[in-house]
Amino acid sequence: MRQFNARTVLMASSMLFSGVAIVPAAAQTPVAPTSAEAAADGDAIVVTGSRIRSANVESVSPVTQVTSEDFAIRGVVRTEDLLNQLPQVFAAQGANNSNEATGTAQVDLRGLSPSRTLVLVNGKRLPYGSPKNIPSDVNQVPTALISSVEVLTGGASAVYGSDAIAGVVNFKLIEDFEGFKMSANVSAFQHNNNNQPLRELVDGFNTRVPGQYPLADDSVWNGFAQDYSVVMGTNFAEGRGNVTAFASYRKVNPILQKDYDYSACALGATGTGGDQFTCSGSANNAPANLTNSGRLNGVPTSFRVSNGQFVPGSSTYNFAPANYYQRPDERYMLGALAHYEINEHLIPYLELNFMDDRSIAQIAPGNNNGGITVNSSGISGINCDNPFLSAQQANFLCTAAGLSTGSVYDSAGNYVAPQGVANGVLVARRNVEGGNRQDDIRHTTYRIVGGVKGDLFGPFRYDLYGQYANVGYRSRFTGDSNRPRTANAFYAVRDQRPGSATFGQPVCKINADANPDNNDASCAPLDYFGPQASQASADYIAEFKTITGDTSLTNIVLSIDGNLGEYGIQSPWAESGIGIAFGAEYRKNTVDYQPDEVYQNAASPEIPISGATVAKEAFVELNVPIVESRPFFEMLSVEGAFRYSDYDTGFTSNAWKIGGTWAPIRDIRFRGSFQRAVRAPNVIELFSGQSLFEVELTENADGSFDPCAGARPFATAAQCANTGVTAAQYGFIVDNPAGQFNSLIGGNPDLQPETADTFSFGTVLRPSFAPALTVSVDYFNINVKGLVGSVNPNLSLSNCITNGDPFFCDLVQRNPTTGSLFQGEAGYFKRFNVNTGSLRTSGIDLNIDYRLDLEEAFSSSLGSVGFNLVGTYLGSYKTTPLPGSPASDIYECKGLYAGLCGRPRPEWRHKLLTTWNTPWNLAASVSWRHVSSVKVAQTSSQPVLTGSFAGVNRELGSRNYFDLSVAYEIRKDFNLRVGINNIFDKEPPLTTTAAIEDGGNGNTYPQFYDATGRYLFASVSVGF
């Protein structure tokens, strides 16, 4: 009850004050604050990547800063939408994921996966995002209080501990707000559907299968979002204390794939070499597709239901229209920050945060295979006396195979058995009567940080804090079917019991036999041989599943830092003393994940997880200025850090870094570092049970996905035999036209920590002849070894087929009855967590920031223009799948996508922001976002990548997006802003092989490309 009241009050206050975006003043800043800036502030600062406070420190590692102005310019209501525009960031879980969605928003630096990116708030780590999925959820960050976001790429484990392999994202919050501010932001998407070839394609399929291929409207408006926030704060005790409180409400409406001509059907490939798009879909259809895996004589391998008859062949189901392109979301947040300086030695502080976030993932109606026999291979078999079989169907299936269609009853009219059973026949049906599948996901987060800091003695300061965070998780999944109840309902017979109320009618076999103990009054017979099953049978087989759980973080950190120059410990050629920081940390992460009994016994079960990891750590850091203010040595300094970690899972690790900075003159600075970073396996990676998960294979040139499927398989019989295909199965295995297959995943308590060696070197230019210009160029090289992961099924299948390698062939487990890798649960790829090989990525970051005063330059009172360019060149993204992998198995994914390479890895990405600040209280900003083209992995000449591919997937073309934002200051602290992102409504590049696990959805990668049209927004911010 208290929760309801809190939400009600928060909603009321948010709506009353109508208030998201501030209109501050800086664009993306390429580097950490400069010495001059820090000195001007008169205070020591701490930059992300170090715990040492100093008035002249600059990061030895590249740091990109995103300000609150960037949030306003983009008009975003979700933090991940802004971060994903940075070229260092690759899209991860977010609002555009629906199938297998976690309900969280994650950050993936350098494309090394979100689990290798550490997320901080005010320098303190966020908890696990969910007990289902570990990476931190940036939904937990209060957007209304964000002052800036600092993105450090490269290892930082020596400073912050585990997980900081790819880098760190540090959200810095406003801690001294004074006054009252209300903000509001509303937005929506608009798209003109004018892709005529695709519209004609969809319309043609809808003519053949009316209602299954709806044509999108010519113009659509959707995805309406609203975000309101209130921030209030006050200073007290003559400025020695401050309390800042905030509350916010966000609601985002869903977007369906049916709204876009390029996502209204699941695209496949056709034509010569697969050079044309066609509408494809799932092998589980409505009406049903059937497979004769029992090899009944006289019956085709594949046949389907059509107008009450069986006909040879199969038809696909268009699952796309019902899938969400953007999940609906509703979030409530409130919290407070406070600090009070009792004296210089004692400054207690407090951070409180509460979040309640609910999101719904929706995909098409589920697959429900019919049958009367349930075993380890799945569910199959049809009783030949099924009263729903038409005369033609009974003859097609049973009589033609020599099976009787008669029944056996006892003397009392109780049903005994059928005289014939079509064993091994699989019925692949979409449960359309049960409605769309929905996963109602809710995260409730409480986070409290309490600490005390201040002067210790001499030059030393301390910071001691304790943090406890808890993320509650609840998932309620609807739309699936219960397998035992399906078998009961599918086993329909004719009731011959005299006096029965259902005499002569189809009933469930369990209610018509002589055994009263198996009766189920709710059982309604299921008709999968006609156009539609009854609602009573759909209700009976419906399955409702729930998962509850939570994850918590307990974190205690003591950090002491100081400048040893006060003791005379400094270089004789330096003006500043040696900076030092040291301390200790205790960290405990827990996970409790509890699927209900229905989930645990489902066809694809979820297994409970319960576990914890504890780390005890000690760290030290040094910053040693060697030479300052000397000819050719304006600054020369070195720094180092070391962290020792002891985990209760039985291992220890060491992380360290060494770096240096040399500025021969004020105008130029060189920096470089080498770091050893460590990531310990998390609770889920260690302790999760085995469960089935979807995996997608890459489409071959002939349109197949499983190269051993179809009447004329893409691979030879000998090659397929390597994967477990028998001679009897070859040529009779059914492919999945959706490209989705089973994988069996699970944890491993024997995992060892990952290690990463990170090298970076760069230069920062601030020429004195152009003081408003800053240029930084940095090279990065990250090599992660002992990767915690699994062997990619595309690699397993390719190696097994090509050379019969027993290691890879053991990872391919075909259904022993059918040879399938997707029908039933007995066929799958093994993908258990192991320490695999290594992953190396390298490239160059470019940052240019320039401000031109138009009055000084042109004697014109037109204000100023600012330019900011952030770009990344990807030089390499190379994977060694396993320790000791031969050179032929090592593959480079730069400029490639799909297959073993997964999500797109473009060689070049940039964002150029140009802002004109006029003298009339008006500012206009234009952004140019560029993503270079990528080719499908099979186009590569590398042995492990090269292979067959559909022509339509050859290349995802480059994309250029342009955004416009205009802000007007009505008066001080009263600002209006309107804007359009993707002004020209650029469509995303399309492919038939965008895997779900790589962020694929709706025939593209919607977290990576702008997939839902132009984005229009308006915001207002009022302060007092």
Side-chain angles (χ1 to χ4, degrees):
M1 191 66 185
R2 288 192 301 269
Q3 185 183 54
F4 173 79
N5 289 339
R7 291 177 61 181
T8 303
V9 171
L10 178 55
M11 175 67 173
S13 62
S14 298
M15 296 297 292
L16 174 64
F17 293 121
S18 297
V20 72
I22 320 171
V23 185
Q28 287 174 356
T29 306
V31 291
T34 66
S35 305
E37 290 167 342
D41 291 338
D43 294 318
I45 61 171
V46 178
V47 298
T48 299
S50 174
R51 294 182 184 271
I52 298 175
R53 304 168 192 268
S54 175
N56 63 356
V57 68
E58 293 189 73
S59 174
V60 74
S61 298
V63 176
T64 297
Q65 187 180 80
V66 179
T67 70
S68 54
E69 171 72 352
D70 290 287
F71 285 86
I73 289 174
R74 288 285 298 163
V76 296
V77 297
R78 294 182 296 251
T79 303
E80 77 268 21
D81 290 341
L82 177 64
L83 295 179
N84 285 342
Q85 305 306 319
L86 295 176
Q88 303 97 324
V89 177
F90 286 72
Q93 276 282 338
N96 297 113
N97 296 101
S98 194
N99 200 345
E100 305 295 351
T102 64
T104 61
Q106 303 168 358
V107 184
D108 181 5
L109 289 178
R110 302 297 184 197
L112 295 176
S113 95
S115 60
R116 299 181 180 98
T117 298
L118 180 63
V119 180
L120 309 174
V121 173
N122 285 341
K124 302 168 181 66
R125 65 170 60 216
L126 282 181
Y128 289 170
S130 163
K132 182 180 178 67
N133 200 261
I134 290 301
S136 295
D137 181 8
V138 296
N139 281 317
Q140 298 173 11
V141 180
T143 310
L145 281 188
I146 293 177
S147 171
S148 64
V149 186
E150 291 184 348
V151 180
L152 179 149
T153 53
S157 293
V159 176
Y160 297 113
S162 181
D163 302 334
I165 278 186
V168 174
V169 177
N170 185 19
F171 292 89
K172 293 192 170 183
L173 305 184
I174 301 170
E175 298 181 289
D176 55 357
F177 184 84
E178 188 169 23
F180 185 88
K181 181 184 68 180
M182 305 173 296
S183 303
N185 190 345
V186 294
S187 60
F189 290 94
Q190 190 278 328
H191 175 67
N192 295 320
N193 285 302
N194 50 20
N195 191 321
Q196 199 58 36
L198 287 181
R199 293 181 69 79
E200 292 174 359
L201 175 67
V202 173
D203 198 37
F205 269 80
N206 198 54
T207 301
R208 280 176 271 172
V209 190
Q212 203 175 116
Y213 295 85
L215 188 65
D217 293 339
D218 291 339
S219 176
V220 293
W221 287 83
N222 53 25
F224 178 74
Q226 50 191 314
D227 193 0
Y228 309 99
S229 68
V230 177
V231 180
M232 59 191 78
T234 183
N235 293 323
F236 59 91
E238 299 179 336
R240 291 184 292 119
N242 178 272
V243 175
T244 299
F246 69 92
S248 67
Y249 171 74
R250 179 185 74 190
K251 185 175 183 180
V252 180
N253 289 353
I255 296 176
L256 290 165
Q257 289 183 24
K258 72 178 182 64
D259 289 343
Y260 298 85
D261 47 22
Y262 46 79
S263 60
C265 78
L267 291 176
T270 189
T272 304
D275 61 354
Q276 299 174 34
F277 281 122
T278 186
C279 285
S280 183
S282 169
N284 293 270
N285 196 18
N289 288 323
L290 295 90
T291 302
N292 177 19
S293 63
R295 306 295 301 279
L296 298 175
N297 290 329
V299 180
T301 300
S302 298
F303 56 104
R304 61 190 176 90
V305 176
S306 177
N307 297 318
Q309 296 186 341
F310 287 148
V311 296
S314 62
S315 183
T316 58
Y317 178 79
N318 183 24
F319 54 78
N323 289 5
Y324 280 155
Y325 231 172
Q326 172 179 278
R327 297 193 318 272
D329 176 83
E330 188 171 26
R331 185 187 71 174
Y332 299 83
M333 292 192 77
L334 58 86
L337 298 88
H339 63 269
Y340 174 59
E341 182 181 351
I342 298 175
N343 55 51
E344 67 270 23
H345 303 289
L346 191 62
I347 307 173
Y349 61 90
L350 182 68
E351 295 179 19
L352 301 171
N353 191 50
F354 166 80
M355 180 197 77
D356 184 80
D357 183 67
R358 181 187 178 200
S359 183
I360 298 176
Q362 177 175 291
I363 53 179
N367 306 325
N368 189 36
N369 297 330
I372 63 174
T373 302
V374 179
N375 54 36
S376 60
S377 294
I379 182 172
S380 64
I382 301 173
N383 54 306
C384 288
D385 61 350
N386 191 304
F388 292 123
L389 288 170
S390 68
Q392 186 272 347
Q393 290 173 329
N395 181 68
F396 185 101
L397 175 65
C398 298
T399 305
L403 299 173
S404 172
T405 60
S407 307
V408 178
Y409 294 88
D410 65 16
S411 58
N414 295 307
Y415 183 84
V416 176
Q419 292 181 356
V421 175
N423 287 312
V425 174
L426 307 179
V427 182
R429 176 64 148 72
R430 282 278 170 170
N431 180 29
V432 293
E433 297 83 4
N436 296 322
R437 287 170 289 174
Q438 288 195 338
D439 193 1
D440 190 339
I441 306 168
R442 185 172 181 178
H443 291 93
T444 304
T445 302
Y446 303 86
R447 180 173 179 264
I448 179 171
V449 179
V452 60
K453 59 185 178 180
D455 295 338
L456 196 58
F457 61 86
F460 291 101
R461 291 170 57 91
Y462 74 97
D463 187 354
L464 171 65
Y465 69 85
Q467 174 184 193
Y468 178 78
N470 182 276
V471 181
Y473 174 80
R474 183 183 182 278
S475 164
R476 186 174 188 271
F477 197 99
T478 59
D480 270 349
S481 303
N482 181 274
R483 175 160 292 176
R485 290 200 295 271
T486 295
N488 288 341
F490 188 82
Y491 202 158
V493 300
R494 196 168 299 280
D495 188 357
Q496 296 295 331
R497 296 170 297 169
S500 170
T502 55
F503 181 81
Q505 300 177 25
V507 295
C508 298
K509 179 258 184 189
I510 59 173
N511 292 333
D513 60 19
N515 181 7
D517 295 334
N518 65 4
N519 288 357
D520 187 343
S522 300
C523 184
L526 183 64
D527 179 9
Y528 275 175
F529 307 118
Q532 188 172 356
S534 69
Q535 191 58 51
S537 63
D539 293 341
Y540 173 69
I541 66 175
E543 189 170 70
F544 303 92
K545 302 177 287 190
T546 300
I547 302 173
T548 57
D550 72 339
T551 177
S552 69
L553 167 67
T554 303
N555 195 200
I556 302 172
V557 180
L558 170 63
S559 176
I560 298 172
D561 73 279
N563 189 328
L564 300 181
E566 292 197 22
Y567 295 132
I569 303 177
Q570 66 184 72
S571 166
W573 307 288
E575 299 173 354
S576 305
I578 295 175
I580 185 172
F582 57 91
E585 180 170 355
Y586 170 88
R587 186 171 63 254
K588 180 179 181 180
N589 290 105
T590 70
V591 167
D592 185 42
Y593 181 76
Q594 297 299 326
D596 64 11
E597 186 176 357
V598 178
Y599 239 132
Q600 293 184 46
N601 293 298
S604 297
E606 289 278 352
I607 309 301
I609 306 171
S610 185
T613 60
V614 174
K616 300 174 183 178
E617 302 175 317
F619 56 85
V620 63
E621 184 182 354
L622 289 173
N623 183 9
V624 184
I626 299 175
V627 183
E628 291 179 292
S629 303
R630 302 292 178 99
F632 301 107
F633 288 96
E634 180 65 27
M635 162 67 76
L636 177 65
S637 67
V638 296
E639 62 181 71
F642 179 82
R643 177 179 288 253
Y644 172 79
S645 302
D646 185 356
Y647 294 90
D648 68 339
T649 45
F651 52 77
T652 61
S653 67
N654 299 314
W656 49 268
K657 79 168 181 178
I658 184 169
T661 299
W662 174 43
I665 57 176
R666 289 183 180 271
D667 296 25
I668 186 169
R669 177 168 59 93
F670 300 97
R671 59 188 178 189
S673 69
F674 186 84
Q675 306 190 47
R676 166 64 59 87
V678 177
R679 186 183 79 87
N682 58 55
V683 176
I684 290 180
E685 291 169 332
L686 290 166
F687 304 122
S688 62
Q690 295 182 4
S691 60
L692 288 177
F693 194 81
E694 283 186 351
V695 65
E696 297 192 29
L697 299 181
T698 303
E699 188 169 14
N700 299 306
D702 66 348
S704 69
F705 291 90
D706 181 351
C708 295
R712 292 182 295 277
F714 194 76
T716 68
Q719 290 175 321
C720 292
N722 293 337
T723 74
V725 176
T726 67
Q729 292 168 347
Y730 186 75
F732 296 96
I733 297 174
V734 175
D735 197 18
N736 187 351
Q740 298 171 352
F741 298 84
N742 295 332
S743 65
L744 188 64
I745 62 174
N748 179 358
D750 297 323
L751 292 172
Q752 296 298 306
E754 298 175 342
T755 60
D757 293 329
T758 301
F759 171 71
S760 65
F761 176 80
T763 183
V764 180
L765 303 175
R766 296 190 181 97
S768 54
F769 61 83
L773 173 65
T774 301
V775 179
S776 69
V777 182
D778 291 278
Y779 169 80
F780 65 88
N781 189 310
I782 304 172
N783 185 21
V784 188
K785 292 168 284 188
L787 283 167
V788 173
S790 60
V791 180
N792 189 303
N794 285 283
L795 180 67
S796 301
L797 191 59
S798 174
N799 272 282
C800 182
I801 282 179
T802 302
N803 52 43
D805 188 315
F807 173 83
F808 292 103
C809 290
D810 183 60
L811 301 178
V812 183
Q813 178 65 54
R814 290 190 177 272
N815 188 310
T817 303
T818 66
S820 174
L821 289 166
F822 81 98
Q823 291 180 319
E825 289 75 53
Y828 50 80
F829 294 94
K830 297 177 183 177
R831 298 194 69 181
F832 308 126
N833 290 334
V834 292
N835 287 102
T836 59
S838 63
L839 174 60
R840 181 190 293 271
T841 184
S842 63
I844 297 174
D845 289 333
L846 172 66
N847 292 268
I848 302 175
D849 196 77
Y850 180 64
R851 181 179 179 276
L852 176 65
D853 189 310
L854 298 177
E855 184 171 0
E856 292 182 4
F858 305 106
S859 300
S860 172
S861 57
L862 294 177
S864 63
V865 178
F867 303 92
N868 176 257
L869 173 68
V870 182
T872 295
Y873 167 74
L874 180 63
S876 177
Y877 192 93
K878 183 175 292 187
T879 300
T880 302
L882 295 167
S885 289
S888 59
D889 279 357
I890 299 172
Y891 53 95
E892 170 64 67
C893 287
K894 177 185 72 172
L896 302 176
Y897 85 101
L900 295 179
C901 292
R903 65 196 60 199
R905 314 282 178 187
E907 292 189 41
W908 175 255
R909 295 169 64 194
H910 76 240
K911 179 183 177 183
L912 173 62
L913 174 65
T914 302
T915 300
W916 176 29
N917 291 298
T918 76
W920 311 295
N921 297 331
L922 186 74
S925 300
V926 176
S927 297
W928 170 28
R929 295 176 284 126
H930 174 79
V931 181
S932 65
S933 63
V934 291
K935 292 184 177 181
V936 73
Q938 286 79 355
T939 60
S940 171
S941 60
Q942 301 173 72
V944 74
L945 295 184
T946 188
S948 173
F949 59 90
V952 291
N953 297 326
R954 175 180 293 275
E955 182 177 71
L956 302 183
S958 63
R959 285 298 182 269
N960 293 285
Y961 300 108
F962 295 91
D963 313 322
L964 173 65
S965 174
V966 178
Y968 181 65
E969 185 180 46
I970 298 174
R971 62 167 174 78
K972 185 184 179 191
D973 297 326
F974 186 2
N975 300 283
L976 296 175
R977 183 182 292 273
V978 294
I980 306 176
N981 299 335
N982 189 10
I983 297 173
F984 301 111
D985 192 18
K986 188 74 172 179
E987 293 183 359
L990 303 178
T991 177
T992 70
T993 187
I996 293 169
E997 65 177 299
D998 298 323
N1001 190 21
N1003 305 315
T1004 188
Y1005 299 90
Q1007 289 286 128
F1008 193 75
Y1009 299 103
D1010 288 23
T1012 48
R1014 53 173 63 92
Y1015 175 79
L1016 300 92
F1017 65 91
S1019 64
V1020 59
S1021 177
V1022 181
F1024 303 97

